[in-house]
Amino acid sequence: MSTTARTTTAIPTVRPLTTGDADVLIEAARRAADGLGVRGSVTVLDAGGQLLGFRRHDEAVLISGETSTRKAYTALQLDAPTADLVDLVRPDGLFHTLPTALDRPLLFTAGGVPVHRDGRLIGAIGFGGGTPEQDHRIATEAREAAQLV
């Protein structure tokens, strides 16, 4: 009888996104938004799409809370910045039916970016309240400030 030696390769573990990380992301987004004069909302989701953090500026329009959350969710689900997805849902785009085909809170407008640690997806951040370009810049700057690219 022969025995076969088993070798296992350990899969490196990556620390998940924490509430501490969410606090850093939110504060960095607040600073970036203040620098642009934007009053909005920021949402941080973990890898499972669960809310880790949220903040709405006192003067932000109420809908910014919903848009920041949907942008974060979209960036998380597709592991891509929402700014890169806008053209895909246009009438001639590859995913033109996706927004209506799913019963999910997707939003294909700039302002959501995925968050990675050691090359692995661990969550997403979304910002709403400014122009699409401002929202994307704020979310991206927050992610870079937290070193979670």
Side-chain angles (χ1 to χ4, degrees):
M1 235 179 170
S2 69
T3 59
T4 304
R6 282 192 171 167
T7 59
T8 58
T9 304
I11 297 173
T13 59
V14 175
R15 189 169 54 90
L17 195 64
T18 66
T19 54
D21 294 326
D23 291 342
V24 171
L25 286 162
I26 289 169
E27 181 57 26
R30 185 199 60 76
R31 283 192 311 272
D34 285 350
L36 294 174
V38 175
R39 305 295 179 244
S41 296
V42 59
T43 300
V44 178
L45 303 177
D46 69 11
Q50 298 301 307
L51 182 67
L52 273 185
F54 174 82
R55 180 175 177 179
R56 185 180 68 81
H57 188 281
D58 293 340
E59 298 172 6
V61 295
L62 293 177
I63 194 137
S64 68
E66 181 71 20
T67 61
S68 70
T69 301
R70 287 180 180 225
K71 290 174 186 183
Y73 185 80
T74 304
L76 176 68
Q77 293 302 310
L78 298 172
D79 193 8
T82 54
D84 294 351
L85 304 171
V86 174
D87 288 338
L88 295 176
V89 295
R90 295 191 191 283
D92 61 342
L94 182 62
F95 297 141
H96 73 279
T97 60
L98 191 59
T100 56
L102 300 175
D103 185 26
R104 299 285 183 214
L106 301 174
L107 184 59
F108 293 88
T109 303
V113 293
V115 174
H116 298 91
R117 181 177 280 131
D118 298 328
R120 301 216 10 225
L121 180 65
I122 59 168
I125 180 172
F127 191 89
T131 65
E133 294 78 16
Q134 289 171 326
D135 292 354
H136 177 72
R137 181 174 169 184
I138 292 164
T140 301
E141 284 183 19
R143 180 181 68 174
E144 290 170 359
Q147 299 178 343
L148 294 168
V149 180

